[in-house]
Amino acid sequence: MAKTTCAKALQNWEQEHPGEQPSEAEDIRLIFQNPPLDKLDPPVLNTLAKVKRLSLSSNAIEKMVNLPGLRQIEILSLSRNNIKKIAGLEEIGQTLKELWLSYNYIERLDGLQPCVKLHTLYIGNNRIKVWDEVDKLKDLPEIANVLFVGNPIYENQKDDPKLLVLKRINTLKNVDGTVVDDSLMEKVKALGDGVPTTTVK
C-alpha cells in the first residue's frame, strides 16, 4: 500500500496553511495522513528549524530517528504509531519538554537519558512489562508528569498502580492525570517498603 512521505505531508500542511512556510512555523501537525506516514525523513524534517511543537500522531511510523535540525523543539508527539524503541533523542534532548508516545509497542524506557529538560512523558498503552523500567525516569532531572495507563505493569496489582509509580519516583507532580497532593503521598507511604519488579506475562 502506498504511504505518504514527509515531503508530501508538508505539502499538505502548506495547502491547509496558505501563506505560511513550514521552515518558519512553530506548530506543525502532520497527524492522520492518508495514506499514513511510515517513516521519518531527516532531510525534510530538519528544515523545520523554528518548530516548537511537531505532531506526527496517528500514522504508521516504525522508527524514531535523529533530527538535529529541530533546534527549538519542545513538544514531540508520536502517539498512535508502530514504534517499538525510543531512540534518536540525542540531538533534541536539550530543548525537548514533552514527549507523547502512547499507543505504540514500546517495552523499554531506554533512550530518554539525553532529555534533560523533559517534564512530561505520555507512554500509556504500550508494552512495558517490567517495573524496573520506571526507575529509568529517575535520571531525568525535570520529569514531573507521566502517564502509564494501559501498560502490562498495571495489570493484576492489588494496589493502585499510580501509587506504585510514585513509590519509585516521589518527585512527580502528576501521574496518569491525577495531581499528586499530600493525601496521595500519604497513601504511598502506607504501602510500606515493597515495590513490584515484574508483572505476569
Side-chain angles (χ1 to χ4, degrees):
M1 187 177 76
K3 302 292 185 181
T4 298
T5 64
C6 287
K8 177 59 177 175
L10 282 177
Q11 289 176 8
N12 295 340
W13 185 90
E14 288 184 77
Q15 291 176 359
E16 296 169 359
H17 300 80
E20 296 186 45
Q21 294 295 320
S23 60
E24 297 294 321
E26 293 187 358
D27 187 344
I28 293 183
R29 307 188 188 198
L30 307 177
I31 64 174
F32 203 67
Q33 296 294 304
N34 186 22
L37 283 164
D38 66 340
K39 62 181 179 180
L40 302 177
D41 187 347
V44 174
L45 295 177
N46 280 330
T47 64
L48 308 178
K50 295 187 178 181
V51 72
K52 292 185 176 181
R53 175 175 180 156
L54 177 61
S55 180
L56 298 151
S57 299
S58 299
N59 283 292
I61 297 165
E62 296 184 353
K63 293 182 179 180
M64 298 172 66
V65 298
N66 278 307
L67 296 169
L70 307 186
R71 294 185 294 273
Q72 298 185 42
I73 188 75
E74 295 181 0
I75 302 173
L76 177 61
S77 177
L78 287 162
S79 299
R80 297 184 184 275
N81 277 287
N82 298 324
I83 296 168
K84 296 180 180 179
K85 180 181 179 180
I86 298 173
L89 299 175
E90 293 83 2
E91 302 290 344
I92 62 175
Q94 294 294 320
T95 60
L96 192 66
K97 296 180 179 180
E98 298 186 21
L99 181 59
W100 301 15
L101 288 170
S102 293
Y103 293 94
N104 278 289
Y105 301 95
I106 297 166
E107 294 186 14
R108 300 185 181 279
L109 295 181
D110 298 315
L112 292 170
Q113 294 85 353
C115 302
V116 295
K117 298 289 183 64
L118 192 73
H119 63 67
T120 296
L121 176 65
Y122 295 144
I123 197 157
N125 292 281
N126 273 275
R127 295 184 174 179
I128 300 171
K129 302 175 182 178
V130 181
W131 277 96
D132 286 349
E133 292 300 314
V134 177
D135 287 340
K136 295 174 182 178
L137 300 188
K138 293 178 181 178
D139 295 330
L140 305 178
E142 302 293 331
I143 196 70
N145 181 12
V146 299
L147 187 145
F148 282 105
V149 169
N151 280 284
I153 52 172
Y154 272 31
E155 298 173 4
N156 305 314
Q157 298 293 339
K158 64 182 180 65
D159 296 307
D160 184 343
K162 289 193 297 293
L163 303 182
L164 301 177
V165 172
L166 280 168
K167 185 71 176 177
R168 289 176 174 271
I169 310 175
N170 59 15
T171 56
L172 295 172
K173 306 300 182 185
N174 191 303
V175 180
D176 299 336
T178 298
V179 175
V180 178
D181 56 16
D182 291 342
S183 64
L184 198 62
M185 290 309 297
E186 286 299 322
K187 293 178 181 178
V188 172
K189 292 177 183 178
L191 290 178
D193 294 330
V195 291
T197 57
T198 61
T199 189
V200 178
K201 296 183 180 179

